[in-house]
């Protein structure tokens, strides 16, 4: 019902390889989650899906794992 468990996200982040990220696809803007994650040494990028604007895309990555562009 519109809930994203922060514990599950943290658990998945602990398993990420360098340069990888988690992509959350939701039908709502997860603003409270984004605000919470920004306080936890994470890179967050949020946007609407250009192919389906009803989808909200949130990319989550550990700051020390950011891939160089």
């Amino acid at each position: 019902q519109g809930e994203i468990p922060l514990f599950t996200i943290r658990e998945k982040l602990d398993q990420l390889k360098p340069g990888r990220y988690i992509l959350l696809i939701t039908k709502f803007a997860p603003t409270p989650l984004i605000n919470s994650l920004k306080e936890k040494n994470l890179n967050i990028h949020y946007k609407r899906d250009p192919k389906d604007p009803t989808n909200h895309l949130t990319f989550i990555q550990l700051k020390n794992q950011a891939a160089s562009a």
Side-chain angles (χ1 to χ4, degrees):
Q1 179 187 334
E3 294 182 24
I4 302 169
L6 186 57
F7 174 79
T8 301
I9 293 170
R10 291 297 305 178
E11 190 175 72
K12 298 296 182 191
L13 282 168
D14 289 341
Q15 300 170 13
L16 283 182
K17 294 181 181 178
R20 304 291 296 202
Y21 58 87
I22 292 173
L23 170 58
L24 296 179
I25 302 173
T26 57
K27 292 293 183 185
F28 58 93
T31 305
L33 174 71
I34 290 170
N35 292 338
S36 175
L37 293 174
K38 283 183 177 178
E39 298 174 2
K40 300 185 182 308
N41 195 38
L42 298 170
N43 287 326
I44 308 294
H45 177 72
Y46 164 80
K47 68 178 185 175
R48 290 269 182 117
D49 185 341
K51 295 180 183 177
D52 181 356
T54 65
N55 286 333
H56 298 257
L57 310 177
T58 306
F59 300 82
I60 307 166
Q61 183 181 52
L62 293 174
K63 285 187 178 180
N64 63 353
Q65 289 187 347
S68 57

